[in-house]
Amino acid sequence: TTNGHTPTTAEDMGKARKWAGRFLDGPTRLPISFGYGGKPVHGIPADWQPTSHKRRIDANLVETVFEGRDPATGLKIRVEGVEYQDYPVVEWTAWLTNTGDAPTPIISDLLGLDGLFAGASTGLYHCNGDFNSADGYTPQESPLGPGDTLRFAPSGGRPCDGAFPFFRILFEDGGLTLSVGWPGQWSASFEGLADGVRVQAGQEKTHLRLNPGETVRTPRMTALAWSGDASRAVNLWRRWYLAHVLPRPDGQPLQPHLAWSGPGEGIEFTAATEANQAEYIDLARRRGIAFDVWWIDAGWYPCYDANHERKWPVTGSWEPDPERFPNGLKPVSDHAEGKGADLLIWFEPERVRPGTRLDVERPEWLLRVEGAENRLLNLGIPACRQWLTDHVCGLIQDNGIRIYRQDFNFKPLDYWRLNEGPDRQGMNENLHIQGYLQYWDDLLARNPGLWLDSCASGGRRNDLETLRRSVPLHYTDHGYGDHPTKLAFQRTMHEWMPYFKESELSWDLDGKSRFIQRVDSFSYHCGLAALFGTGLDVRRDDYDYALAAKMLGIWHRASEMLLFGDYYPRTPFHRDAARWVARQFDCPERGCGYIQGIRLPKCPEEVLTVFPQVTAPGSTYRLENAESGATLVVSGADLIREGFTFELPRRSGAVWFYRIEPADPLPGS
């Protein structure tokens, strides 16, 4: 299978089979393990009478299901493994169910991955996730030779809070990308050995008995193999992600979008009303910019505190505020739809505050921690999950909501662990994760065309199980207008989660604000992403709307390339306002792409030369600077030999779009 300039090779597929596919060769080789009644279990024991069944799901997916049952206690193991035929990817998940009539012995240290990957390792690529800090999303590479041990876990129960459930084991001739698909408290350890790397990963803590009929599951483990350098690792992952992970509303890959909003004068959307939302939508359209998404964030529901002041964190009464939206949100969604836009609405169903509807009417569904104001809605209770599903589906359908945005603004781990006994450790978390994923699956199944946005105090819940159902539009709460920091964050996002949101804030001009004070072309250069969310206040007449339209036109032209193209950073990772940032997105199938250079505000160097990815050295490259109108014609061979040079003033950027034309015929041909 050829995937542009990043082809899946026979060598890649062979490595996938060698490193991970072999785990699916038989039930005793399955890479799961746990303690059971004090005895170790690895795979499905032979005396559990294991069976296997293979089926082809579609042209690209082959599934093998392994099952076995302990004859003494009735504990059943089911492992579902998937091998991709178009990419060097293998995945698996395990479920343990008590089919007996009495509680099981203690199940402890349940691991979704406990296995050895053979080869001489040179290191481990990892990242520190999001934690509302400029230091977040930092890629790191650590030694992983014989005797080296590394361990990772997030903070507080959200999977990307101070850790990142995505890794690359680096071998001498390629490597293996691993993902821990667990929207809770996972852990992963890597031990360098003389003959390879031993990896153990799973829910961080399990020490529990299963009651009759209960089920726990492991994380969904994903392994992608590659041969060659780091750029092949990045772009094979991106292409697999776009082909098999990126949500497909209405059966089509999610496309780039332009979002607009008008919150009013309150904090967040606590001052939004039916009337002012219609006013803002009309004003935005009259400014001449065609947005695709009308965004209403936190505060549209009844959210009065003890002083009868609207405060958006007062969550737990999920209805449109009747004082501000007496007819619900349907008039707003209808008005947006009439202007060609879909309505996005923010929810935070898992956080329940005292005195709200759920706190008063359903206290038995809530987990509490002494001294904490938040309560956790326990999605591990089937009746609770079903009520929430039915209620939110009703809101979606009655109010014309097309994009469901879910936030999660507190750490759930203590709520899970402090509300379970010593022989049930890990059960609350496991059941909650199962309920959360089922809730999202049901929202999608019952609302065709709906798509989901994953948010958790920024980007703290973006494991691969979550991302199979959503996109991480709001990937951090830090640095919205801090250009060096957000460009560094974007580098990590482009590598792992290519669909996310950016905006045109400029804190170096406007102060540390979430609102735009002036239209600034530089901020657009620093904000290119698959979804662009503009912060312009459409009531103002003093903006340069013509410049905004021009820069959004460049975004529109670039957005599909940056989402579906191959990604090549052309400067090292940094957060330094005294340096350049350069990057390239290349679409080899279409023979086009763009190269972008950004000279940050304190950068003393006027010139930067980069050496772009050249897929057609014998052809002609025609380049255009869409902002200035300048054009260039250069051969692919010259780009390889001499590179491409940016010359820009401080605090400016340039996007050069290119297309490849066939080489002139040779004389006599």
Side-chain angles (χ1 to χ4, degrees):
T1 302
T2 299
N3 299 306
H5 195 69
T6 310
T8 296
T9 66
E11 186 176 2
D12 296 327
M13 301 300 284
K15 288 181 182 296
R17 184 69 187 161
K18 170 186 173 183
W19 280 329
R22 64 185 179 84
F23 290 145
L24 305 182
D25 283 343
T28 60
R29 300 187 68 174
L30 292 168
I32 65 165
S33 70
F34 56 97
Y36 193 47
K39 297 180 180 179
V41 176
H42 200 289
I44 302 178
D47 61 351
W48 291 28
Q49 299 182 328
T51 62
S52 64
H53 174 72
K54 181 174 289 190
R55 69 182 181 102
R56 182 175 287 274
I57 298 174
D58 59 29
N60 295 315
L61 301 178
V62 175
E63 178 189 68
T64 305
V65 176
F66 301 89
E67 293 184 317
R69 183 178 182 274
D70 178 20
T73 66
L75 181 66
K76 178 182 176 181
I77 300 178
R78 176 184 174 90
V79 179
E80 296 179 1
V82 175
E83 295 179 85
Y84 290 76
Q85 306 301 295
D86 54 342
Y87 286 90
V89 175
V90 177
E91 298 182 299
W92 62 92
T93 314
W95 285 264
L96 276 62
T97 301
N98 182 359
T99 68
D101 55 9
T104 65
I106 290 290
I107 299 167
S108 61
D109 303 319
L110 175 60
L111 297 175
L113 170 58
D114 185 358
L116 175 71
F117 300 103
S121 171
T122 61
L124 182 75
Y125 179 101
H126 53 99
C127 179
N128 62 351
D130 178 43
F131 47 99
N132 196 19
S133 167
D135 296 327
Y137 289 112
T138 300
Q140 301 169 61
E141 188 174 327
S142 299
L144 194 57
D148 293 324
T149 301
L150 299 166
R151 185 184 183 278
F152 305 90
S155 171
R158 293 174 296 179
C160 300
D161 193 347
F164 204 56
F166 304 93
F167 304 90
R168 294 191 196 108
I169 303 174
L170 309 175
F171 293 102
E172 292 176 344
D173 56 349
L176 187 71
T177 299
L178 290 174
S179 159
V180 184
W182 188 249
Q185 185 71 13
W186 56 271
S187 67
S189 63
F190 299 80
E191 180 185 4
L193 304 173
D195 56 348
V197 177
R198 182 178 181 83
V199 184
Q200 294 182 312
Q203 183 180 344
E204 184 181 54
K205 185 176 184 180
T206 47
H207 184 88
L208 54 89
R209 301 180 191 274
L210 287 181
N211 292 322
E214 287 186 326
T215 297
V216 291
R217 59 161 286 182
T218 68
R220 179 166 176 159
M221 302 300 306
T222 301
L224 177 149
W226 82 89
S227 303
D229 62 12
S231 69
R232 290 203 74 250
V234 168
N235 287 311
L236 274 176
W237 175 269
R238 279 175 58 94
R239 285 173 172 264
W240 170 76
Y241 184 104
L242 293 165
H244 293 286
V245 177
L246 184 71
R248 301 172 70 90
D250 295 319
Q252 299 299 317
L254 194 59
Q255 298 296 312
H257 285 78
L258 174 63
W260 211 311
S261 63
E265 301 299 333
I267 303 299
E268 291 291 338
F269 283 71
T270 56
T273 67
E274 177 182 324
N276 69 24
Q277 292 304 288
E279 176 191 1
Y280 294 142
I281 289 170
D282 289 342
L283 279 171
R285 273 292 188 238
R286 286 203 291 271
R287 300 302 185 186
I289 300 174
F291 54 91
D292 310 297
V293 174
W294 189 256
W295 187 301
I296 296 180
D297 216 277
W300 54 273
Y301 38 85
C303 52
Y304 294 98
D305 66 7
N307 298 317
H308 205 67
E309 296 178 352
R310 292 194 197 105
K311 299 291 178 64
W312 70 266
V314 182
T315 53
S317 299
W318 295 110
E319 301 286 354
D321 185 347
E323 293 186 11
R324 294 176 290 140
F325 299 99
N327 303 300
L329 296 169
K330 191 65 163 62
V332 179
S333 66
D334 286 346
H335 205 78
E337 185 179 6
K339 307 297 182 181
D342 291 334
L343 180 63
L344 176 151
I345 297 293
W346 180 97
F347 289 82
E348 192 183 359
E350 290 153 298
R351 178 164 64 165
V352 177
R353 283 293 181 90
T356 59
R357 177 183 174 184
L358 279 168
D359 181 57
V360 172
E361 296 182 2
R362 294 292 186 177
E364 72 276 14
W365 289 350
L366 307 180
L367 295 176
R368 295 170 171 79
V369 169
E370 186 176 355
E373 189 172 17
N374 294 319
R375 289 93 157 94
L376 177 65
L377 188 67
N378 188 355
L379 297 181
I381 300 174
C384 171
R385 174 183 56 79
Q386 191 61 56
W387 177 89
L388 181 66
T389 303
D390 293 340
H391 183 70
V392 173
C393 282
L395 289 171
I396 289 169
Q397 293 155 14
D398 293 344
N399 293 280
I401 299 168
R402 297 286 294 170
I403 305 161
Y404 171 91
R405 169 171 164 77
Q406 182 163 323
D407 209 339
F408 193 23
N409 283 306
F410 68 105
K411 297 183 176 186
L413 191 58
D414 283 349
Y415 291 81
W416 291 327
R417 291 185 176 176
L418 298 179
N419 284 286
E420 54 195 6
D423 64 346
R424 297 282 282 179
Q425 290 292 298
M427 197 67 195
N428 278 338
E429 176 184 350
N430 204 288
L431 293 177
H432 189 105
I433 297 308
Q434 292 183 59
Y436 155 73
L437 295 174
Q438 186 63 57
Y439 167 59
W440 274 20
D441 287 342
D442 291 343
L443 289 187
L444 292 170
R446 290 172 56 175
N447 300 281
L450 183 75
W451 49 289
L452 311 180
D453 167 21
S454 166
C455 181
S457 303
R460 306 193 204 190
R461 199 190 211 176
N462 290 329
D463 67 292
L464 200 57
E465 280 286 65
T466 296
L467 295 178
R468 289 180 184 280
R469 299 158 171 85
S470 67
V471 286
L473 298 185
H474 194 80
Y475 67 91
T476 186
D477 275 341
H478 186 87
Y480 307 129
D482 180 348
H483 298 128
T485 297
K486 69 192 283 185
L487 288 167
F489 290 168
Q490 289 171 25
R491 180 180 177 127
T492 296
M493 294 299 293
H494 283 308
E495 285 196 11
W496 293 103
M497 309 170 192
Y499 201 107
F500 58 92
K501 177 180 77 71
E502 272 294 359
S503 69
E504 77 278 44
L505 285 164
S506 287
W507 287 353
D508 58 333
L509 295 182
D510 301 335
K512 196 172 182 179
S513 169
R514 294 182 68 176
F515 301 97
I516 307 302
Q517 301 303 317
R518 71 207 78 187
V519 174
D520 169 36
S521 63
F522 179 67
S523 66
Y524 285 84
H525 281 289
C526 297
L528 295 183
L531 191 143
F532 192 88
T534 182
L536 298 177
D537 183 346
V538 292
R539 297 169 299 178
R540 291 177 51 172
D541 294 321
D542 57 340
Y543 286 140
D544 187 343
Y545 286 101
L547 177 58
K550 180 179 182 178
M551 297 309 298
L552 286 172
I554 294 172
W555 164 80
H556 191 272
R557 186 173 172 185
S559 60
E560 189 174 349
M561 297 178 186
L562 68 84
L563 176 58
F564 294 107
D566 291 333
Y567 170 56
Y568 298 96
R570 291 300 169 208
T571 47
F573 180 92
H574 69 83
R575 300 184 181 88
D576 190 346
R579 297 174 68 178
W580 284 77
V581 171
R583 51 198 179 184
Q584 177 187 6
F585 292 89
D586 183 65
C587 304
E589 298 90 341
R590 296 168 52 192
C592 65
Y594 73 85
I595 308 169
Q596 183 183 27
I598 298 171
R599 184 180 173 191
L600 288 165
K602 298 179 182 179
C603 180
E605 289 83 17
E606 298 178 354
V607 174
L608 175 72
T609 298
V610 299
F611 290 85
Q613 183 76 16
V614 174
T615 59
S619 297
T620 298
Y621 281 66
R622 295 189 178 272
L623 298 102
E624 174 199 359
N625 184 322
E627 191 173 358
S628 70
T631 59
L632 291 171
V633 178
V634 62
S635 72
D638 284 344
L639 282 174
I640 292 173
R641 182 172 54 252
E642 299 174 9
F644 182 85
T645 298
F646 292 94
E647 186 172 357
L648 294 170
R650 285 178 175 166
R651 204 180 179 282
S652 66
V655 172
W656 286 84
F657 294 100
Y658 61 81
R659 58 185 174 90
I660 303 171
E661 298 181 349
D664 293 332
L666 295 173
S669 62

